[in-house]
């Protein structure tokens, strides 16, 4: 008895729903993405063979450029708001709410306390110009020195979040005394653990690190 052949039909998938979801996701990421603000200075970090990864959140970044200027930054916007409120109160800066909001969304600060109000109260173009000519945050090797404003920033920041990881990003051509001021200030607060940001390079052949890296695995 002959078998009846069923007509073949091509599979048709309706992609309308998938396209709608794709455009919804694209719109969400466009609206929700926060772009990293531009840093006021460009720093060329030295190279090292260390491959220890840096933390992703709760970072206090201390930047030193070729002129020895020190810039202070914290990655968490919520902490920056409470931080500037703390600094405004302890240093009697008389900052307005709008000026403190400006600090909360800014990338980093390299302005002394006596110029901070005028800096935060200026327009974005004026702030960019001031950042280019910023003198940097005053620092000293003595943590209790009156002119060591960096110490005040570090103390206030750790008061808001004791889990902050401290990273020092110094230009390869920066003078050592400028970096030493940061290290001595941290030591004054009994902070001996921090990260130095560097560029990763290959381990030089013939060194102890090279031998350890290429040593045969130990048999268990």
């Amino acid at each position: 008895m002959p078998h009846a052949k069923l007509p073949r039909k091509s599979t048709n998938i309706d992609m309308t729903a998938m396209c709608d979801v794709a455009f919804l996701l694209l719109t969400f990421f466009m609206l929700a993405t926060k772009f990293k603000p531009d840093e006021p200075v460009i720093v060329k970090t030295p190279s090292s063979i260390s491959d220890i990864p840096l933390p992703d959140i709760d970072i206090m970044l201390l930047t030193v450029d070729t002129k020895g200027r020190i810039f202070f930054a914290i990655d968490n916007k919520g902490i920056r708001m409470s931080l500037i409120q703390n600094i405004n109160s302890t240093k009697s800066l008389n900052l307005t709410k709008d000026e403190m909001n400006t600090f909360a969304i800014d990338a980093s600060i390299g302005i002394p306390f006596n110029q901070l109000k005028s800096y935060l109260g200026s327009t974005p173009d004026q702030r960019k110009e001031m950042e280019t000519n910023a003198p940097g945050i005053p620092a000293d090797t003595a943590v209790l020195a009156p002119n060591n404003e960096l110490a005040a920033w570090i103390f206030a920041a750790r008061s808001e979040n004791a889990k902050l990881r401290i990273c020092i990003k110094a230009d390869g051509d920066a003078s050592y005394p400028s970096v030493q001021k940061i290290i001595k200030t941290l030591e004054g607060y009994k902070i001996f653990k921090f990260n130095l940001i560097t560029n990763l390079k290959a381990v030089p052949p013939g060194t102890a690190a090279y031998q350890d890296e290429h040593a045969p695995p130990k048999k268990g």
Side-chain angles (χ1 to χ4, degrees):
M1 182 177 180
H3 295 282
K5 293 184 178 180
L6 297 176
R8 293 185 178 181
K9 295 182 180 180
S10 61
T11 304
N12 185 19
I13 301 176
D14 188 0
M15 300 293 292
T16 305
M18 186 177 292
C19 292
D20 290 341
V21 171
F23 278 108
L24 286 174
L25 288 174
L26 179 61
T27 303
F28 170 78
F29 286 121
M30 289 176 62
L31 297 176
T33 300
K34 295 181 179 180
F35 294 96
K36 182 181 178 181
D38 295 333
E39 295 186 8
V41 291
I42 298 176
V43 173
K44 295 180 180 178
T45 54
S47 300
S48 75
I49 61 175
S50 175
D51 57 355
I52 299 175
L54 293 175
D56 295 328
I57 58 173
D58 292 335
I59 299 174
M60 180 196 303
L61 180 63
L62 305 175
T63 305
V64 185
D65 71 350
T66 55
K67 299 178 182 179
R69 299 181 300 172
I70 299 175
F71 293 82
F72 171 92
I74 288 184
D75 65 335
N76 190 300
K77 181 180 178 181
I79 297 176
R80 290 202 299 267
M81 176 54 74
S82 58
L83 169 62
I84 193 60
Q85 291 172 346
N86 186 333
I87 290 292
N88 183 48
S89 176
T90 56
K91 298 300 178 181
S92 302
L93 301 179
N94 298 318
L95 299 177
T96 65
K97 184 177 180 179
D98 290 339
E99 290 167 350
M100 288 189 285
N101 285 333
T102 299
F103 176 88
I105 62 176
D106 208 345
S108 61
I109 287 292
I111 303 292
F113 288 138
N114 59 3
Q115 300 177 21
L116 192 57
K117 183 174 179 63
S118 60
Y119 168 77
L120 296 175
S122 59
T123 64
D125 290 339
Q126 291 172 335
R127 286 198 302 273
K128 191 172 183 180
E129 179 67 22
M130 293 178 70
E131 288 171 355
T132 303
N133 302 311
I137 297 177
D140 198 285
T141 53
V143 68
L144 297 179
N147 65 324
N148 194 348
E149 296 184 6
L150 177 64
W153 283 109
I154 294 174
F155 180 82
R158 286 180 60 86
S159 298
E160 299 300 329
N161 185 358
K163 296 181 179 180
L164 283 174
R165 296 285 298 274
I166 300 175
C167 299
I168 301 176
K169 183 180 180 181
D171 193 284
D173 295 328
S175 62
Y176 176 72
S178 301
V179 181
Q180 185 184 34
K181 291 178 181 178
I182 298 177
I183 297 176
K184 289 296 184 181
T185 299
L186 295 175
E187 290 178 354
Y189 286 128
K190 307 300 181 183
I191 302 173
F192 303 103
K193 186 177 180 180
F194 51 85
N195 296 89
L196 293 173
I197 300 178
T198 57
N199 291 324
L200 182 64
K201 70 175 182 179
V203 181
T207 61
Y210 184 87
Q211 295 175 0
D212 291 340
E213 186 179 275
H214 293 81
K218 296 181 180 179
K219 296 182 180 181

